[in-house]
Amino acid sequence: MKALRNNAIFQAMFIGSITGLAGVILFVFILQLPTTTEEAAETIPTVQTPEEQQVQQQYFALQHGVFSNFDSAAQFLGTYPTLNKAAVVKVDEQYFVWSRLDTEKVETALTIVPTGFYKKITIMSSCPNPAEFQLPVTLKDSKMFSLEETEAIDKQQVPKDWTALMTEVSKLSTNPNVVRLHMFINYFESLDCLKVTF
């Protein structure tokens, strides 16, 4: 009887331990369920809207000065006849005098008076219109600034006023880097979705 009693106690202890351990595991599992659900909800992938997408390209602007107001920049331009094809560009409440916009540095361009230096800039577009969205890339192609190539330009790849604007800008200069600058400025001033960073 004593042996049977000891065996029963051992069995009860064993079953109790297993039941308790299973209960603890089940309790921990139940506690983890809300956390797992929250994490799953947090990791749901989001789809980028067109407004959040960007196209960007790097350029080099030949800079001759920077001013706190437009009048000072314009007065500086008037002082140097060699800057008759330059322009004033407003970025972040500052007025920059740029004479050309290059895709890479051109050493001979630095000989102009007054002396300048190349400022690395990034042009970014988040425009909803596909042609305007691609402007940072379109401005890289020198063929886009040649009147001889006008007929070959795919009209769907450029803004609708591109050809007419280029015809006017080409009267100022035939240098594609000068034309690029003025084409860029026109769209930069008229499109809020076109940005410049340094």
Side-chain angles (χ1 to χ4, degrees):
M1 290 292 296
K2 192 173 184 179
L4 286 173
R5 189 180 303 155
N6 287 340
N7 194 20
I9 292 172
F10 176 76
Q11 287 178 351
M13 288 175 58
F14 179 75
I15 293 171
S17 298
I18 294 297
T19 305
L21 184 60
V24 170
I25 292 172
L26 182 62
F27 180 71
V28 170
F29 177 74
I30 291 171
L31 285 179
Q32 291 295 322
L33 281 178
T35 306
T36 307
T37 306
E38 287 173 10
E39 287 175 357
E42 288 173 3
T43 57
I44 293 174
T46 56
V47 179
Q48 265 193 332
T49 62
E51 289 78 18
E52 294 172 337
Q53 296 175 350
Q54 281 189 344
V55 170
Q56 60 182 32
Q57 290 290 319
Q58 188 180 92
Y59 291 87
F60 296 93
L62 186 56
Q63 180 171 311
H64 301 278
V66 58
F67 302 88
S68 59
N69 59 72
F70 179 82
D71 291 338
S72 299
Q75 186 176 357
F76 175 79
L77 273 179
T79 306
Y80 295 96
T82 51
L83 294 181
N84 63 342
K85 296 173 184 174
V88 177
V89 186
K90 182 184 178 185
V91 181
D92 296 334
E93 302 307 317
Q94 289 187 307
Y95 296 82
F96 298 88
V97 175
W98 293 343
S99 61
R100 53 191 286 162
L101 189 60
D102 296 303
T103 55
E104 57 185 26
K105 295 180 181 180
V106 180
E107 294 302 320
T108 54
L110 299 173
T111 59
I112 191 173
V113 177
T115 56
F117 66 94
Y118 274 113
K119 187 177 190 71
K120 187 190 294 185
I121 69 171
T122 301
I123 299 175
M124 299 177 295
S125 175
S126 58
C127 301
N129 180 287
E132 293 170 353
F133 183 70
Q134 288 297 326
L135 271 172
V137 176
T138 304
L139 288 166
K140 281 268 186 182
D141 191 352
S142 296
K143 293 177 185 175
M144 294 292 187
F145 311 118
S146 170
L147 286 176
E148 290 77 17
E149 300 287 339
T150 302
E151 296 301 322
I153 294 175
D154 184 350
K155 299 299 187 290
Q156 293 183 344
Q157 291 183 347
V158 294
K160 59 183 179 181
D161 60 343
W162 178 275
T163 304
L165 181 62
M166 190 182 65
T167 302
E168 291 302 312
V169 172
S170 296
K171 293 176 183 177
L172 178 67
S173 175
T174 56
N175 185 323
N177 300 306
V178 175
V179 176
R180 177 186 290 114
L181 172 66
H182 288 276
M183 293 291 282
F184 158 69
I185 291 173
N186 175 80
Y187 292 111
F188 179 61
E189 291 178 345
S190 61
L191 298 173
D192 291 335
C193 50
L194 201 61
K195 306 293 183 185
V196 171
T197 58
F198 303 131

